[in-house]
């Protein structure tokens, strides 16, 4: 029997028993707190006299003091509850897998080495002794550096030099140790290779236990204004991005909230695919947007989302705004319901009052202040109006409490005016928001004059509003943009200014830019250098998704230099199948045959086509053989799905069928090359390329190379390229 295995299983059993004990203790503690808190609050509440009207001052003071005591008790219970609940959430994570690795570190010469067990979250026992160290802790960095012997980690800015004597990985499920590996370098990472053999799941899985050295450099990168990560297909960009988010939450756990982190994904299907990763690590999901949902969140969901906006149009707007003269037609009334509170002419006179300043943030801020003052004066006028006074006096008891916090009965004209003033302020409170939101300014009309009379799309409208106000999102601290190669220069210009105070992580692969007119890497660098003072860069050159055979196929679409730097760490798999059909019926029969064969196999097969029109046509032809995926759909765990390339972005599948690889769809141009590269690189274990007609010339070099090697070709009744 393996003594090391026995020792590790014994340690695992002890740790798991402690975790189970903590789970039971925390659960009981929460139940006890709930019961005690409910009784204490009931007892304290019974002693209170909530209505202080008509009682003596001393009694009123005692009542207020009792309320303060009650509030303090509630706060104390809430703090204890939150602490216990947060600890319980970590225990629940570790019950699935207590840890995944161990390092043995000699901290100082002459001292015995220390074993450190690393897991998805950290946990200590009742004596504050670490049971498991969080993978994001400084000491855990020694595991991800993958360097036996002298190494180091950084704590509070200070480098600690240590010696790594052992780096051990575990395959654990709950309290069962399946196996362990002692590893040193990435290519021998047994846990990684074991994980790569698995099939697709309907949700992206965390890569905490298998983060590789180049990925770790991104995850633990110093906090900078803008970090651009260029990664080949299957290099784990999205996983690294999510691990980076989790790392930031850990590093800034006292100050960073999920609502301060914005994550941009390529589509809603992808958003659903990744939504379980952070919760599996005990962290809440940040705010997740596609470009379309981001635009809708700004109140612009009913117009062109501006994904194809021109950067030149934004430059034209920026150049014109300082010299722009606002005219009467650029203004509108401030109204609440049927009541006009400020007329457009008043807005015009307010903005003209500060004509010594060019149109922009300073002038707009002064104008808004002036309009707020005028609104207050207007509300004062309304409070002396008989109709409004009568409306105030006609409020029933519930309405009075809602407006004033109590029932009221004015004794004279002065009190009536004062209460009416409070009433109209309550009634028209939204008017102040309308002023701040520039509802009095026709931004569309101003922008249209600059751009030659056409309507503004959402990107242009938001850009013009930024030019006028200088304000985007103030509370954002981090913005992550996945698949950044599919964003236009105009979109990135807007994001860099809209989230001007946030730090950016930009991840992408320039060879997966599937739309015309997207920003180049040089343009990205220029935009974020201008807005954030510089751009730091990292590269991910190893593919973990695809087998070597599939990697060779899609890398054949790259230049010689780039192809030489790309590697796959997967074990050998199945050679790609490439077939061109002259007959449509034979082509469809092959697709149906594939769908039938894949239906009951383990894993997920995706038939990927270039566009929605092609997907709609094939959906009718294949019918029940496939599940057609639309924008709002989630991926199943297994079966056969049909989807267009824009929805397949960022996803991975066990078997990919590129179903329209004919030259009429994928010509010899660079955009076709990028689109085909993206389609092929979605595959993990198997890829089939079918053409309805002449095969794309982009695959000719690969096919010729295979022929020269004497590779076997399938005999399937079609013409084999």
């Amino acid at each position: 029997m393996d003594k090391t295995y026995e020792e590790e299983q014994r340690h695992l059993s002890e740790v798991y028993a402690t975790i189970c004990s903590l789970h039971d203790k925390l659960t009981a503690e929460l139940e006890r707190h709930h019961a005690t808190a409910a009784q204490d609050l009931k007892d304290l509440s019974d002693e209170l006299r909530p209505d202080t009207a008509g009682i003596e001052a001393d009694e009123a003071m005692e009542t207020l003091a009792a309320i303060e005591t009650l509030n303090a008790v509630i706060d104390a219970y809430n703090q204890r509850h939150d602490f216990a609940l947060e600890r319980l959430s970590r225990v629940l994570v570790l019950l699935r897998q207590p840890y995944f690795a161990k390092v043995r570190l000699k901290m100082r010469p002459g001292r015995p080495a220390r074993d450190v067990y690393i897991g998805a979250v950290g946990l200590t026992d009742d004596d504050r002794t670490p049971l498991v160290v969080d993978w994001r802790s400084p000491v855990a960095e020694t595991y991800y550096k993958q360097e036996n012997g002298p190494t180091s980690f950084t704590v509070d800015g200070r480098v600690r030099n240590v010696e790594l004597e052992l780096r051990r990985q575990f395959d654990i499920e709950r309290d069962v140790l399946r196996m362990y590996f002692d590893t040193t370098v990435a290519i021998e990472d047994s846990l990684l290779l074991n994980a790569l053999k698995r099939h697709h799941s309907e949700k992206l899985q965390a890569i905490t236990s298998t983060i590789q050295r180049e990925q770790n450099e991104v995850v633990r990168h110093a906090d900078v204004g803008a970090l651009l990560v260029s990664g080949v297909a299957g290099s784990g960009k999205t996983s690294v991005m999510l691990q980076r988010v989790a790392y930031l939450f850990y590093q800034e756990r006292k100050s960073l909230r999920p609502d301060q982190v914005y994550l941009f994904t390529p589509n809603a299907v992808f958003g659903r695919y990744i939504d379980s990763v952070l919760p599996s690590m005990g962290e809440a999901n940040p705010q997740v947007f596609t470009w379309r949902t981001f635009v809708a969140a700004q109140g612009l969901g009913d117009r062109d989302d501006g994904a194809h906006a021109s950067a030149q149009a934004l430059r034209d707007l920026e150049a014109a705004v300082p010299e722009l003269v606002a005219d009467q037609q650029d203004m509108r009334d401030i109204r609440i319901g049927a009541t006009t509170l400020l007329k457009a002419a008043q807005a015009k006179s307010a903005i003209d009052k500060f004509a010594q300043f060019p149109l922009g943030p300073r002038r707009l801020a002064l104008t808004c202040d002036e309009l707020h003052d005028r609104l207050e004066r207007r509300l004062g006028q309304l409070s002396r109006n008989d109709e409004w006074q009568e409306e105030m006096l006609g409020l029933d008891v519930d309405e009075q409490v809602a407006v004033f916090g109590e029932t009221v009965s004015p004794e004279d004209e002065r009190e009536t005016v004062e209460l009416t003033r409070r009433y109209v302020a309550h009634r028209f409170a939204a008017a102040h928001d309308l002023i701040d939101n520039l509802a009095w300014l026709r931004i569309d009309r101003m922008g249209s004059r600059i751009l030659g009379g056409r309507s503004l799309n959402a990107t242009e409208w938001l850009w013009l509003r930024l030019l006028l106000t200088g304000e985007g999102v103030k509370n954002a601290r981090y913005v992550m943009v996945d698949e950044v190669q599919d964003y236009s220069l105009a979109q990135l210009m807007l994001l860099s200014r809209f989230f001007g105070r946030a730090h950016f992580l930009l991840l992408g692969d320039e060879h997966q830019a599937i739309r015309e007119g997207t920003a180049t890497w040089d343009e990205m660098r220029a935009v974020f250098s201008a807005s954030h003072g510089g751009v730091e860069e990292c590269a991910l050159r190893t593919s973990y998704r695809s087998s070597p055979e599939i990697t060779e196929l899609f890398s054949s679409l790259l230049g010689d230099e780039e192809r030489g730097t790309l590697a796959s760490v997967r074990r050998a798999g199945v050679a790609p199948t490439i077939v061109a059909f002259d007959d449509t019926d034979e082509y469809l029969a092959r697709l149906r045959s594939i769908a039938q064969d894949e239906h009951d196999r383990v894993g997920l097969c995706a038939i990927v086509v270039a566009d929605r029109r092609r997907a709609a046509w094939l959906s009718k032809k294949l019918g029940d053989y496939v599940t057609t995926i639309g924008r709002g759909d989630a991926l199943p765990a297994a079966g056969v799905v049909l989807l267009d390339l824009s929805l397949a972005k960022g996803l991975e599948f066990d078997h990919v069928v590129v179903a329209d690889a004919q030259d009429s769809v994928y010509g010899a141009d660079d955009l076709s090359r990028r689109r085909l590269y993206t389609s092929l690189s979605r595959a993990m274990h198997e890829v089939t390329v079918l053409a309805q007609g002449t095969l794309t010339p982009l695959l000719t070099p690969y096919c010729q190379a295979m022929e020269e090697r004497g590779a076997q070709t399938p005999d399937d009744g079609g013409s084999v390229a």
Side-chain angles (χ1 to χ4, degrees), residues 37 53 80 109 114 133 159 189 389 391 402 522 555 589 596 669 677:
R80 289 163 61 187
R114 169 188 166 197
V133 169
V159 176
D189 194 325
Q389 290 182 4
E391 185 169 313
D522 284 341
S555 66
Q596 285 179 320
D669 58 285
Y677 170 94

Side-chain angles (χ1 to χ4, degrees), residues 345-402:
Q346 291 174 282
K348 178 66 167 63
S349 67
I351 201 169
D352 287 346
K353 183 176 179 179
F354 306 103
Q356 70 270 32
F357 302 111
L359 207 57
R362 184 175 184 183
R363 186 171 177 185
L364 267 291
L366 291 169
T367 303
C368 285
D369 289 343
E370 176 68 19
L371 290 174
H372 283 301
D373 290 342
R374 295 187 183 193
L375 176 60
E376 289 298 317
R377 292 197 292 272
R378 172 65 170 150
L379 296 178
Q381 293 171 359
L382 294 180
S383 68
R384 293 176 174 79
N385 182 282
D386 291 342
E387 291 183 8
W388 287 106
Q389 290 182 4
E390 289 175 7
E391 185 169 313
M392 183 275 295
L393 292 170
L395 297 174
D396 62 29
V397 172
D398 290 340
E399 290 170 332
Q400 289 179 36
V401 172

